[in-house]
Amino acid sequence: MGSKYTKRYTEEFKRDAIALVGSSGRAVTAVARELGISFESLRGWSRRVNRKHVARAMRERGIRGVTRRRRCSLTRPVRRSPPRA
């Protein structure tokens, strides 16, 4: 049981806050400050979502026993060089 001073947020609020970090391109601390929440909370929510995303990607690809670096590379966007003229 949490402290009586612990603030509870809805799942919808958490999803929207995480989406705002991803779509705005701003730092987690800036978004948290704007929303009036702790940056540790927002960082924890986004890490939890990322872990679920990585686990799902690994299951879909049938990958087991992979190093942490490899897990991260599964969800990292592919950087493409601009076309040469």
Side-chain angles (χ1 to χ4, degrees), residues 27-69:
V28 172
T29 53
V31 173
R33 190 177 306 119
E34 179 183 319
L35 296 174
I37 61 176
S38 162
F39 84 92
E40 289 96 348
S41 295
L42 183 53
R43 184 179 60 189
W45 300 338
S46 56
R47 282 183 177 176
R48 218 172 358 263
V49 167
N50 187 39
R51 267 186 255 136
K52 289 179 184 178
H53 178 70
V54 169
R56 185 177 343 111
M58 289 175 61
R59 275 194 311 273
E60 288 172 356
R61 295 175 183 169
I63 300 170
R64 292 200 172 116
V66 181
T67 64
R68 181 177 181 174
R69 177 177 285 168

Side-chain angles (χ1 to χ4, degrees), residues 22 50 53-54 57 61 69-81:
N50 187 39
H53 178 70
V54 169
R61 295 175 183 169
R69 177 177 285 168
R70 176 70 176 125
R71 281 194 308 266
C72 292
S73 71
L74 293 172
T75 57
R76 190 175 303 130
V78 176
R79 292 186 181 179
R80 300 186 189 274
S81 301

Side-chain angles (χ1 to χ4, degrees), residues 7-18 45:
K7 200 167 188 180
R8 301 286 179 176
Y9 299 99
T10 64
E11 290 301 317
E12 182 182 12
F13 178 82
K14 293 176 184 180
R15 275 193 310 269
D16 292 344
I18 294 166
W45 300 338

